[in-house]
Structure formats: structure tokens, C-alpha cells
Amino acid sequence: MVNTDQGNQTSITEFILLGFGNLPELQTHLFLLFLVIYIVTMAGNILIIMLVVTDQHLHTPMYFFLATLSFLETCYSSTILPRMLASLLTGDRTISLRGCIVQFYFFASLVGSECCLLSMMSYDRYLAICKPLHYAGHMSGRFCFYLVAGSWINGFVAIAIIICLMSQLKFCGPSEIDHFFCDFTPVIKLSCSDSHLMELVTFIFSSLFTLPPFVLTLASYTCIIITILRIPSSTGRQKAFSTCSSHLVVVTIFYGTLIIVYLLPRTNTMRALNKLFSVFYTVLTPMANPFIYSLRNKEVKGALRRAIRKMLV
């Protein structure tokens, strides 16, 4: 759909998300696959939240952050997967301009919030392993709440400024987005307005609001690894590493896929693989996180066993 502007120029009011439309014979299989992924993602993350809320043994800063991460992952998945599932089921791949901008806003805000939250979790593990005597004094309930609130505010406020600039752009065609959701680069490429200022502002804000959390995460784990290597006994090293190994796996997957999608040079091969790697951090990572934390964490597995016993009694 288009609206006529001045002269012969027209303004697009709808986009077409091409998604996986180039695989028509696999639409049903993809729908079932992503439906199962969405159900597992929601069930796994909600289970983590319920265990942390109901089990007294998990009422610690580490698991408060974990429950917040699980809640963020449910929002994250719900921003993208329901729209994708509807497209695969009905074949309607159109999305309004306003709907596209709203989807990008929530997606980008949640990514920014997750970057901050992962850095907070890394800092928590740093204090627990490297500064154990100061841990209780620093990581009070109020301080943890402020950290979580700050991570959410950071993500949503920063992206709001970018969205204000994006809403001023005009889109005159083509209207096809070669992606399964409204991401920044594919959408901006379709604008017929001068987007250089917006791209500069986006780069500055992305650097200001995501680089410091990444540096804090990297510095925290550098100190953690150095401290663990200094522990004389292998049992002590293994015990210390077990408290942060799950989070380290999650951080590696999250930042690894983000770097591949957004920072590596745009070669022809990378353009072809971009959609595949986007599936990893938007769809598969939220599903994998509950399994990573539950399978590698004795406290979570213990809480799950206690919850099952209560249900069976």
C-alpha cells in the first residue's frame, strides 16, 4: 500500500517480510519447527522464573538476575516468533510501517537490556569469586533491583531516541525486507530519505550503550579466570568455575552471534548467512538458556526436583 506525496513520489505504508518465502515447500515444516521452539522457550523460561520465585534456596542475587533474564527472553521471543508463525501459517508476509517500527523498538530495546543484564550477572560472579568477603555487602537486594531497573531503562530509553529519528524517514520503495523481522539495516536500506545522520546517531548510541556492558563483561571474566587459575587445588578450581560456567556459555553464544551478524564485513557469503545467524540469537538462544542453566547448575536442578516432589505429594 502507498500514499501519494508531492509530485510523483509515493510513500509506502506496508512492508513485505520475505522471511523464508524462498522455501515454499518447507513452510509447513518451518511453522511446526518454530512453533515447537516457541512453546519450549516460553515453558522453559517461565519454569525458571517460577522456581526462583517459589524456592527459598534460589533467593540470591545470582538467581534474581537469572529470573530477570528468563523474563526478558520470553518478551524477546514474543516480539518476533508470533509474527513469524502467523506469516508461515497464513502466507501473509505484510507488516505495516508502524508495526515494523514498533517491532524493531521492542526487539532492539530488549537486546540492549540483555547486554546490560549479562554484564550485571558477570559483575555478580566477579564479586562472588574474586571478592567473596565483599559480596554480601555489595549485592544487597536494593542494589540488585537498581541494577536490573537500570538495565531495562538503558535499553528502552536509548532505542526510543533512534525510533524518533526512524519515524521521520520516508519509504518510497521497494517494499520488500529480506529478513524475517524488522531489523535496523534491512529497513534503513529501503528509505528514500537521507539516513546518514540517523546511521551516525545509531552508531554512537549503540557504542555508548552496548560497548561498556561488553567491556565490563569481558573484564569481569578476565579477572574471574585469573582468580580461578590461582586456586591451588583442582577441586577448588572446578567448584569456582561451576558457579559461572553456565553464564559464560550464554554470554559467549549471545555476543558471538551478535558480532557475526552486525560487525563482520558484509561479504556475499555473510549476507547469505546473515538470516541463519539471526535465527541463532533471536530464536535459538532464548530457547537454549533455560537448558544451559538447568543442566549445568546443581541448585536449579535441586529446586526442580523439590518442585516435582511437592507436586507428586
Side-chain angles (χ1 to χ4, degrees), residues 159-217:
I159 301 302
I161 298 171
I162 297 174
I163 290 298
C164 288
L165 293 173
M166 181 181 285
S167 63
Q168 304 301 315
L169 299 178
K170 292 189 180 298
F171 298 88
C172 312
S175 61
E176 294 181 342
I177 300 176
D178 188 18
H179 217 318
F180 57 87
F181 71 99
C182 293
D183 202 359
F184 179 78
T185 302
V187 172
I188 293 303
K189 283 182 178 179
L190 302 182
S191 172
C192 53
S193 304
D194 185 2
S195 60
H196 289 90
L197 175 61
M198 181 179 175
E199 291 178 14
L200 177 61
V201 171
T202 301
F203 174 77
I204 292 172
F205 273 83
S206 298
S207 301
L208 288 176
F209 288 95
T210 60
L211 189 59
F214 174 73
V215 172
L216 176 60
T217 301

Short mmCIF file of all heavy atoms in Angstrom, two decimals, residues 159-217:
data_model
loop_
_atom_site.label_atom_id
_atom_site.label_comp_id
_atom_site.label_asym_id
_atom_site.label_seq_id
_atom_site.Cartn_x
_atom_site.Cartn_y
_atom_site.Cartn_z
N ILE A 159 16.95 3.34 22.70
CA ILE A 159 16.32 3.00 21.43
C ILE A 159 15.19 3.96 21.10
O ILE A 159 14.88 4.20 19.92
CB ILE A 159 15.81 1.55 21.46
CG1 ILE A 159 16.97 0.60 21.72
CG2 ILE A 159 15.15 1.17 20.14
CD1 ILE A 159 18.10 0.68 20.71
N ALA A 160 14.55 4.55 22.12
CA ALA A 160 13.46 5.50 21.87
C ALA A 160 13.95 6.69 21.05
O ALA A 160 13.23 7.20 20.17
CB ALA A 160 12.87 5.98 23.20
N ILE A 161 15.17 7.11 21.30
CA ILE A 161 15.73 8.24 20.54
C ILE A 161 15.93 7.84 19.08
O ILE A 161 15.63 8.61 18.16
CB ILE A 161 17.06 8.68 21.18
CG1 ILE A 161 16.82 9.16 22.62
CG2 ILE A 161 17.74 9.78 20.35
CD1 ILE A 161 18.07 9.42 23.41
N ILE A 162 16.43 6.64 18.86
CA ILE A 162 16.63 6.14 17.48
C ILE A 162 15.29 5.99 16.78
O ILE A 162 15.15 6.32 15.60
CB ILE A 162 17.39 4.81 17.51
CG1 ILE A 162 18.79 5.01 18.10
CG2 ILE A 162 17.47 4.19 16.11
CD1 ILE A 162 19.57 3.74 18.32
N ILE A 163 14.28 5.52 17.49
CA ILE A 163 12.95 5.34 16.90
C ILE A 163 12.36 6.69 16.49
O ILE A 163 11.69 6.79 15.45
CB ILE A 163 12.02 4.62 17.89
CG1 ILE A 163 12.45 3.16 18.04
CG2 ILE A 163 10.57 4.69 17.42
CD1 ILE A 163 12.38 2.34 16.77
N CYS A 164 12.59 7.72 17.29
CA CYS A 164 12.09 9.06 16.92
C CYS A 164 12.68 9.50 15.59
O CYS A 164 11.97 10.08 14.75
CB CYS A 164 12.44 10.05 18.02
SG CYS A 164 11.49 9.85 19.54
N LEU A 165 13.95 9.22 15.37
CA LEU A 165 14.58 9.57 14.10
C LEU A 165 14.07 8.69 12.97
O LEU A 165 13.82 9.16 11.86
CB LEU A 165 16.11 9.45 14.22
CG LEU A 165 16.80 10.45 15.16
CD1 LEU A 165 18.28 10.10 15.30
CD2 LEU A 165 16.64 11.87 14.63
N MET A 166 13.89 7.41 13.25
CA MET A 166 13.42 6.48 12.22
C MET A 166 12.02 6.84 11.75
O MET A 166 11.69 6.69 10.57
CB MET A 166 13.46 5.04 12.76
CG MET A 166 13.01 4.00 11.75
SD MET A 166 13.04 2.31 12.41
CE MET A 166 14.80 1.99 12.41
N SER A 167 11.18 7.29 12.67
CA SER A 167 9.80 7.63 12.30
C SER A 167 9.72 8.84 11.38
O SER A 167 8.68 9.07 10.75
CB SER A 167 8.98 7.88 13.57
OG SER A 167 9.49 9.01 14.28
N GLN A 168 10.80 9.61 11.27
CA GLN A 168 10.82 10.78 10.38
C GLN A 168 11.22 10.40 8.95
O GLN A 168 11.09 11.22 8.04
CB GLN A 168 11.80 11.83 10.91
CG GLN A 168 11.54 12.28 12.34
CD GLN A 168 10.16 12.87 12.53
OE1 GLN A 168 9.71 13.68 11.72
NE2 GLN A 168 9.48 12.45 13.60
N LEU A 169 11.71 9.19 8.75
CA LEU A 169 12.15 8.77 7.43
C LEU A 169 10.96 8.49 6.52
O LEU A 169 9.88 8.12 6.99
CB LEU A 169 13.03 7.52 7.53
CG LEU A 169 14.33 7.64 8.33
CD1 LEU A 169 15.04 6.29 8.37
CD2 LEU A 169 15.25 8.70 7.74
N LYS A 170 11.17 8.64 5.23
CA LYS A 170 10.16 8.30 4.24
C LYS A 170 10.62 7.07 3.47
O LYS A 170 11.82 6.91 3.19
CB LYS A 170 9.92 9.47 3.29
CG LYS A 170 9.26 10.67 3.94
CD LYS A 170 8.85 11.69 2.90
CE LYS A 170 8.17 12.90 3.58
NZ LYS A 170 6.94 12.50 4.29
N PHE A 171 9.68 6.21 3.15
CA PHE A 171 9.96 4.98 2.43
C PHE A 171 9.15 4.98 1.14
O PHE A 171 7.92 5.00 1.17
CB PHE A 171 9.62 3.76 3.29
CG PHE A 171 10.42 3.67 4.56
CD1 PHE A 171 9.98 4.30 5.72
CD2 PHE A 171 11.62 2.99 4.59
CE1 PHE A 171 10.71 4.24 6.89
CE2 PHE A 171 12.38 2.92 5.76
CZ PHE A 171 11.92 3.54 6.91
N CYS A 172 9.87 4.99 0.01
CA CYS A 172 9.22 5.14 -1.30
C CYS A 172 9.31 3.89 -2.16
O CYS A 172 8.87 3.90 -3.31
CB CYS A 172 9.83 6.33 -2.05
SG CYS A 172 9.96 7.82 -1.06
N GLY A 173 9.90 2.84 -1.67
CA GLY A 173 10.03 1.63 -2.46
C GLY A 173 11.49 1.32 -2.76
O GLY A 173 12.31 2.23 -2.80
N PRO A 174 11.81 0.04 -2.94
CA PRO A 174 10.92 -1.13 -2.88
C PRO A 174 10.43 -1.39 -1.45
O PRO A 174 10.93 -0.77 -0.51
CB PRO A 174 11.80 -2.27 -3.38
CG PRO A 174 13.19 -1.85 -3.03
CD PRO A 174 13.22 -0.35 -3.20
N SER A 175 9.49 -2.30 -1.32
CA SER A 175 8.86 -2.54 -0.01
C SER A 175 9.21 -3.91 0.57
O SER A 175 8.64 -4.30 1.58
CB SER A 175 7.34 -2.43 -0.14
OG SER A 175 6.85 -3.41 -1.06
N GLU A 176 10.13 -4.63 -0.04
CA GLU A 176 10.47 -5.98 0.41
C GLU A 176 11.68 -5.96 1.34
O GLU A 176 12.74 -5.43 0.98
CB GLU A 176 10.74 -6.89 -0.77
CG GLU A 176 9.52 -7.14 -1.65
CD GLU A 176 9.83 -8.07 -2.81
OE1 GLU A 176 11.02 -8.24 -3.13
OE2 GLU A 176 8.88 -8.63 -3.37
N ILE A 177 11.52 -6.52 2.53
CA ILE A 177 12.60 -6.66 3.51
C ILE A 177 13.05 -8.10 3.51
O ILE A 177 12.28 -9.01 3.84
CB ILE A 177 12.12 -6.25 4.92
CG1 ILE A 177 11.65 -4.79 4.93
CG2 ILE A 177 13.23 -6.46 5.94
CD1 ILE A 177 11.08 -4.36 6.27
N ASP A 178 14.31 -8.32 3.13
CA ASP A 178 14.83 -9.69 3.05
C ASP A 178 15.25 -10.17 4.43
O ASP A 178 16.42 -10.38 4.72
CB ASP A 178 16.00 -9.75 2.07
CG ASP A 178 16.43 -11.18 1.80
OD1 ASP A 178 15.64 -12.10 2.08
OD2 ASP A 178 17.56 -11.38 1.30
N HIS A 179 14.26 -10.32 5.30
CA HIS A 179 14.51 -10.77 6.66
C HIS A 179 13.19 -11.33 7.21
O HIS A 179 12.14 -11.16 6.60
CB HIS A 179 15.01 -9.63 7.53
CG HIS A 179 16.06 -10.05 8.53
ND1 HIS A 179 15.97 -11.22 9.26
CD2 HIS A 179 17.22 -9.47 8.93
CE1 HIS A 179 17.02 -11.33 10.05
NE2 HIS A 179 17.79 -10.28 9.88
N PHE A 180 13.26 -11.98 8.39
CA PHE A 180 12.03 -12.50 8.99
C PHE A 180 11.51 -11.59 10.10
O PHE A 180 10.50 -11.88 10.73
CB PHE A 180 12.23 -13.93 9.50
CG PHE A 180 13.35 -14.08 10.50
CD1 PHE A 180 13.13 -13.88 11.85
CD2 PHE A 180 14.62 -14.45 10.08
CE1 PHE A 180 14.16 -14.03 12.76
CE2 PHE A 180 15.66 -14.61 11.00
CZ PHE A 180 15.42 -14.39 12.34
N PHE A 181 12.20 -10.47 10.36
CA PHE A 181 11.70 -9.46 11.28
C PHE A 181 12.30 -8.11 10.88
O PHE A 181 13.18 -8.03 10.03
CB PHE A 181 12.03 -9.80 12.74
CG PHE A 181 13.49 -9.67 13.10
CD1 PHE A 181 13.96 -8.54 13.74
CD2 PHE A 181 14.40 -10.68 12.80
CE1 PHE A 181 15.30 -8.41 14.07
CE2 PHE A 181 15.73 -10.58 13.14
CZ PHE A 181 16.19 -9.43 13.77
N CYS A 182 11.79 -7.06 11.48
CA CYS A 182 12.23 -5.70 11.13
C CYS A 182 13.50 -5.34 11.89
O CYS A 182 13.43 -4.86 13.03
CB CYS A 182 11.12 -4.70 11.42
SG CYS A 182 9.67 -4.89 10.36
N ASP A 183 14.62 -5.57 11.27
CA ASP A 183 15.90 -5.20 11.86
C ASP A 183 16.36 -3.87 11.27
O ASP A 183 15.85 -3.42 10.23
CB ASP A 183 16.95 -6.29 11.59
CG ASP A 183 18.09 -6.24 12.59
OD1 ASP A 183 18.08 -5.35 13.46
OD2 ASP A 183 18.99 -7.09 12.49
N PHE A 184 17.32 -3.23 11.91
CA PHE A 184 17.70 -1.86 11.54
C PHE A 184 18.20 -1.74 10.11
O PHE A 184 17.64 -0.99 9.30
CB PHE A 184 18.78 -1.36 12.51
CG PHE A 184 19.26 0.04 12.21
CD1 PHE A 184 18.49 1.14 12.57
CD2 PHE A 184 20.46 0.25 11.56
CE1 PHE A 184 18.92 2.43 12.28
CE2 PHE A 184 20.90 1.53 11.26
CZ PHE A 184 20.13 2.62 11.63
N THR A 185 19.24 -2.48 9.77
CA THR A 185 19.87 -2.33 8.46
C THR A 185 18.93 -2.64 7.30
O THR A 185 18.85 -1.85 6.34
CB THR A 185 21.14 -3.20 8.37
OG1 THR A 185 22.04 -2.82 9.43
CG2 THR A 185 21.84 -3.02 7.03
N PRO A 186 18.20 -3.77 7.29
CA PRO A 186 17.29 -4.05 6.17
C PRO A 186 16.22 -2.97 5.99
O PRO A 186 15.81 -2.68 4.87
CB PRO A 186 16.67 -5.40 6.54
CG PRO A 186 17.64 -6.03 7.47
CD PRO A 186 18.22 -4.90 8.24
N VAL A 187 15.75 -2.38 7.10
CA VAL A 187 14.70 -1.35 7.00
C VAL A 187 15.28 -0.05 6.47
O VAL A 187 14.69 0.58 5.58
CB VAL A 187 14.03 -1.14 8.38
CG1 VAL A 187 13.08 0.07 8.33
CG2 VAL A 187 13.27 -2.38 8.81
N ILE A 188 16.43 0.36 7.00
CA ILE A 188 17.03 1.63 6.59
C ILE A 188 17.39 1.61 5.11
O ILE A 188 17.34 2.65 4.43
CB ILE A 188 18.26 1.94 7.46
CG1 ILE A 188 17.83 2.20 8.89
CG2 ILE A 188 19.03 3.13 6.92
CD1 ILE A 188 16.84 3.32 9.05
N LYS A 189 17.77 0.46 4.59
CA LYS A 189 18.12 0.36 3.17
C LYS A 189 16.97 0.74 2.25
O LYS A 189 17.18 1.14 1.11
CB LYS A 189 18.58 -1.07 2.85
CG LYS A 189 19.99 -1.39 3.30
CD LYS A 189 20.35 -2.81 2.89
CE LYS A 189 21.79 -3.14 3.29
NZ LYS A 189 22.16 -4.52 2.91
N LEU A 190 15.73 0.63 2.73
CA LEU A 190 14.56 0.91 1.92
C LEU A 190 14.13 2.38 1.98
O LEU A 190 13.20 2.78 1.29
CB LEU A 190 13.39 0.03 2.36
CG LEU A 190 13.61 -1.48 2.30
CD1 LEU A 190 12.35 -2.22 2.72
CD2 LEU A 190 14.04 -1.92 0.90
N SER A 191 14.80 3.16 2.82
CA SER A 191 14.40 4.56 2.97
C SER A 191 14.87 5.39 1.79
O SER A 191 15.99 5.20 1.29
CB SER A 191 14.97 5.13 4.27
OG SER A 191 14.74 6.52 4.34
N CYS A 192 14.00 6.31 1.33
CA CYS A 192 14.40 7.23 0.27
C CYS A 192 14.82 8.58 0.84
O CYS A 192 15.10 9.53 0.11
CB CYS A 192 13.27 7.41 -0.74
SG CYS A 192 11.70 7.88 -0.01
N SER A 193 14.85 8.70 2.18
CA SER A 193 15.35 9.90 2.85
C SER A 193 16.85 9.77 3.08
O SER A 193 17.41 8.67 2.99
CB SER A 193 14.63 10.12 4.18
OG SER A 193 13.24 10.17 4.02
N ASP A 194 17.46 10.88 3.40
CA ASP A 194 18.88 10.87 3.75
C ASP A 194 19.01 10.29 5.16
O ASP A 194 18.55 10.89 6.14
CB ASP A 194 19.45 12.29 3.70
CG ASP A 194 20.96 12.31 3.96
OD1 ASP A 194 21.55 11.22 4.13
OD2 ASP A 194 21.54 13.41 4.00
N SER A 195 19.61 9.12 5.27
CA SER A 195 19.68 8.43 6.56
C SER A 195 21.06 8.48 7.19
O SER A 195 21.32 7.79 8.17
CB SER A 195 19.27 6.96 6.38
OG SER A 195 20.13 6.30 5.46
N HIS A 196 21.96 9.31 6.63
CA HIS A 196 23.33 9.34 7.17
C HIS A 196 23.36 9.81 8.62
O HIS A 196 24.09 9.26 9.45
CB HIS A 196 24.20 10.26 6.30
CG HIS A 196 24.51 9.69 4.96
ND1 HIS A 196 23.71 9.90 3.85
CD2 HIS A 196 25.51 8.87 4.53
CE1 HIS A 196 24.21 9.27 2.81
NE2 HIS A 196 25.30 8.63 3.19
N LEU A 197 22.56 10.86 8.94
CA LEU A 197 22.54 11.36 10.32
C LEU A 197 22.03 10.29 11.26
O LEU A 197 22.58 10.08 12.34
CB LEU A 197 21.66 12.61 10.40
CG LEU A 197 21.45 13.17 11.82
CD1 LEU A 197 22.79 13.57 12.43
CD2 LEU A 197 20.49 14.36 11.79
N MET A 198 20.98 9.61 10.84
CA MET A 198 20.41 8.57 11.70
C MET A 198 21.39 7.43 11.90
O MET A 198 21.52 6.89 13.01
CB MET A 198 19.12 8.05 11.09
CG MET A 198 18.50 6.99 11.97
SD MET A 198 16.97 6.33 11.36
CE MET A 198 16.72 5.07 12.61
N GLU A 199 22.08 7.02 10.86
CA GLU A 199 23.05 5.94 10.98
C GLU A 199 24.19 6.34 11.92
O GLU A 199 24.67 5.52 12.70
CB GLU A 199 23.59 5.57 9.60
CG GLU A 199 22.55 4.89 8.71
CD GLU A 199 23.09 4.57 7.34
OE1 GLU A 199 24.32 4.64 7.15
OE2 GLU A 199 22.29 4.26 6.44
N LEU A 200 24.60 7.63 11.85
CA LEU A 200 25.64 8.12 12.75
C LEU A 200 25.17 8.11 14.20
O LEU A 200 25.88 7.65 15.10
CB LEU A 200 26.07 9.53 12.33
CG LEU A 200 27.11 10.22 13.23
CD1 LEU A 200 28.41 9.42 13.24
CD2 LEU A 200 27.35 11.66 12.76
N VAL A 201 23.95 8.63 14.42
CA VAL A 201 23.39 8.66 15.78
C VAL A 201 23.23 7.24 16.31
O VAL A 201 23.53 6.97 17.48
CB VAL A 201 22.04 9.40 15.78
CG1 VAL A 201 21.35 9.25 17.13
CG2 VAL A 201 22.24 10.88 15.45
N THR A 202 22.75 6.34 15.46
CA THR A 202 22.56 4.95 15.87
C THR A 202 23.90 4.31 16.26
O THR A 202 24.00 3.59 17.26
CB THR A 202 21.91 4.14 14.75
OG1 THR A 202 20.65 4.72 14.41
CG2 THR A 202 21.70 2.69 15.17
N PHE A 203 24.93 4.58 15.46
CA PHE A 203 26.27 4.04 15.77
C PHE A 203 26.77 4.57 17.12
O PHE A 203 27.30 3.81 17.94
CB PHE A 203 27.25 4.41 14.66
CG PHE A 203 28.67 4.02 14.95
CD1 PHE A 203 29.09 2.71 14.83
CD2 PHE A 203 29.58 4.98 15.37
CE1 PHE A 203 30.40 2.34 15.11
CE2 PHE A 203 30.90 4.63 15.65
CZ PHE A 203 31.31 3.31 15.52
N ILE A 204 26.59 5.89 17.34
CA ILE A 204 27.06 6.49 18.59
C ILE A 204 26.31 5.90 19.79
O ILE A 204 26.92 5.50 20.78
CB ILE A 204 26.89 8.02 18.55
CG1 ILE A 204 27.83 8.63 17.51
CG2 ILE A 204 27.16 8.63 19.93
CD1 ILE A 204 27.61 10.11 17.25
N PHE A 205 24.98 5.83 19.68
CA PHE A 205 24.19 5.31 20.80
C PHE A 205 24.45 3.82 21.02
O PHE A 205 24.51 3.36 22.17
CB PHE A 205 22.70 5.57 20.56
CG PHE A 205 22.24 6.90 21.05
CD1 PHE A 205 22.40 8.04 20.27
CD2 PHE A 205 21.67 7.04 22.30
CE1 PHE A 205 21.98 9.28 20.72
CE2 PHE A 205 21.25 8.27 22.76
CZ PHE A 205 21.41 9.39 21.97
N SER A 206 24.60 3.07 19.95
CA SER A 206 24.90 1.64 20.08
C SER A 206 26.23 1.44 20.79
O SER A 206 26.37 0.55 21.64
CB SER A 206 24.93 0.98 18.70
OG SER A 206 23.68 1.08 18.07
N SER A 207 27.20 2.29 20.44
CA SER A 207 28.52 2.19 21.07
C SER A 207 28.45 2.57 22.55
O SER A 207 29.03 1.89 23.40
CB SER A 207 29.53 3.09 20.34
OG SER A 207 29.64 2.72 18.99
N LEU A 208 27.72 3.66 22.84
CA LEU A 208 27.65 4.14 24.22
C LEU A 208 26.91 3.18 25.14
O LEU A 208 27.27 3.02 26.31
CB LEU A 208 26.97 5.52 24.26
CG LEU A 208 27.77 6.70 23.70
CD1 LEU A 208 26.93 7.96 23.72
CD2 LEU A 208 29.05 6.91 24.51
N PHE A 209 25.88 2.53 24.61
CA PHE A 209 25.01 1.73 25.48
C PHE A 209 25.27 0.23 25.42
O PHE A 209 24.71 -0.52 26.22
CB PHE A 209 23.54 2.01 25.14
CG PHE A 209 23.07 3.36 25.59
CD1 PHE A 209 23.09 4.44 24.73
CD2 PHE A 209 22.64 3.56 26.89
CE1 PHE A 209 22.66 5.69 25.14
CE2 PHE A 209 22.21 4.82 27.32
CZ PHE A 209 22.22 5.88 26.44
N THR A 210 26.07 -0.23 24.47
CA THR A 210 26.37 -1.67 24.42
C THR A 210 27.86 -1.97 24.62
O THR A 210 28.20 -3.04 25.13
CB THR A 210 25.94 -2.27 23.07
OG1 THR A 210 26.65 -1.62 22.00
CG2 THR A 210 24.44 -2.13 22.86
N LEU A 211 28.75 -1.05 24.24
CA LEU A 211 30.18 -1.32 24.40
C LEU A 211 30.60 -1.37 25.87
O LEU A 211 31.32 -2.30 26.27
CB LEU A 211 30.99 -0.27 23.63
CG LEU A 211 32.51 -0.53 23.53
CD1 LEU A 211 32.76 -1.88 22.86
CD2 LEU A 211 33.19 0.59 22.75
N PRO A 212 30.18 -0.41 26.73
CA PRO A 212 30.55 -0.51 28.15
C PRO A 212 30.10 -1.81 28.82
O PRO A 212 30.89 -2.42 29.54
CB PRO A 212 29.89 0.73 28.77
CG PRO A 212 29.82 1.71 27.66
CD PRO A 212 29.54 0.88 26.44
N PRO A 213 28.85 -2.27 28.61
CA PRO A 213 28.47 -3.57 29.20
C PRO A 213 29.34 -4.72 28.69
O PRO A 213 29.69 -5.62 29.46
CB PRO A 213 27.01 -3.75 28.76
CG PRO A 213 26.50 -2.37 28.54
CD PRO A 213 27.67 -1.61 28.01
N PHE A 214 29.68 -4.69 27.39
CA PHE A 214 30.53 -5.74 26.84
C PHE A 214 31.92 -5.70 27.48
O PHE A 214 32.47 -6.75 27.85
CB PHE A 214 30.65 -5.59 25.33
CG PHE A 214 31.61 -6.54 24.68
CD1 PHE A 214 31.30 -7.89 24.55
CD2 PHE A 214 32.85 -6.10 24.23
CE1 PHE A 214 32.20 -8.78 23.98
CE2 PHE A 214 33.75 -6.97 23.65
CZ PHE A 214 33.42 -8.31 23.52
N VAL A 215 32.48 -4.50 27.64
CA VAL A 215 33.80 -4.36 28.26
C VAL A 215 33.76 -4.82 29.71
O VAL A 215 34.68 -5.49 30.19
CB VAL A 215 34.29 -2.90 28.16
CG1 VAL A 215 35.57 -2.70 28.97
CG2 VAL A 215 34.53 -2.51 26.70
N LEU A 216 32.68 -4.46 30.42
CA LEU A 216 32.54 -4.89 31.82
C LEU A 216 32.45 -6.41 31.91
O LEU A 216 33.07 -7.03 32.78
CB LEU A 216 31.29 -4.25 32.44
CG LEU A 216 30.96 -4.68 33.87
CD1 LEU A 216 32.11 -4.34 34.81
CD2 LEU A 216 29.66 -4.02 34.34
N THR A 217 31.70 -7.02 30.99
CA THR A 217 31.58 -8.48 30.97
C THR A 217 32.94 -9.12 30.70
O THR A 217 33.34 -10.08 31.37
CB THR A 217 30.58 -8.91 29.88
OG1 THR A 217 29.31 -8.33 30.15
CG2 THR A 217 30.44 -10.42 29.84
#
